[in-house]
């Protein structure tokens, strides 16, 4: 009986976390490809043109497609020519930079 109660409590907590604002869900490459093919998100190369305008000559270090509060966002880490690592969030639909901060 204790096991069932613990399992039920765990399931309630997990399902509650899914509805918490600010929790991001990572999308895998198959889902990203489908979204791109369906025209929901822009091609990644086009999105990176927005980054290149803001940080010409920067080097891409890492990129991840996430869904945050119903918005598809690319989280991108770059190395700027100044030697500073920056973390950007791009709206995957239009490439707008939503967040731009120096990475720790």
């Amino acid at each position: 009986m204790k096991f069932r109660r613990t399992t039920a409590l765990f399931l309630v907590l997990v399902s509650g976390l899914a509805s918490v604002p600010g929790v991001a869900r990572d999308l895998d490459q198959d889902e990203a490809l489908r979204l791109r093919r369906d025209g929901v998100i822009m091609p990644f190369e086009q999105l990176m043109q927005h980054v290149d305008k803001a940080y010409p000559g920067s080097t891409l270090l890492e990129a991840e497609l996430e869904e945050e509060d119903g918005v598809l966002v690319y989280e991108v880490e770059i190395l700027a020519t100044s030697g500073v690592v920056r973390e950007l969030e791009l709206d995957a639909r239009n490439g707008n930079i939503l967040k731009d901060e120096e990475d720790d």
Side-chain angles (χ1 to χ4, degrees), residues 23-44:
V23 175
R25 176 179 74 92
D26 293 340
L27 282 74
D28 65 27
Q29 64 187 18
D30 292 332
E31 194 167 4
L33 181 58
R34 181 186 55 77
L35 291 167
R36 165 58 190 104
R37 203 173 26 234
D38 292 346
V40 176
I41 63 174
M42 291 176 63
F44 186 71

Side-chain angles (χ1 to χ4, degrees), residues 6-91:
T6 304
T7 302
L9 179 60
F10 175 75
L11 291 175
V12 168
L13 289 173
V14 169
S15 64
L17 286 176
S19 63
V20 174
V23 175
R25 176 179 74 92
D26 293 340
L27 282 74
D28 65 27
Q29 64 187 18
D30 292 332
E31 194 167 4
L33 181 58
R34 181 186 55 77
L35 291 167
R36 165 58 190 104
R37 203 173 26 234
D38 292 346
V40 176
I41 63 174
M42 291 176 63
F44 186 71
E45 296 78 17
Q46 276 184 283
L47 292 168
M48 287 306 293
Q49 290 174 3
H50 293 260
V51 174
D52 196 45
K53 285 180 187 173
Y55 297 98
S58 62
T59 302
L60 176 65
L61 300 175
E62 185 178 339
E64 191 172 59
L65 180 61
E66 299 178 338
E67 183 178 20
E68 295 181 358
D69 299 324
V71 178
L72 296 169
V73 173
Y74 268 106
E75 191 173 286
V76 177
E77 198 171 279
I78 61 166
L79 176 62
T81 55
S82 64
V84 174
V85 175
R86 303 204 62 83
E87 185 178 302
L88 308 171
E89 284 188 3
L90 307 170
D91 187 322

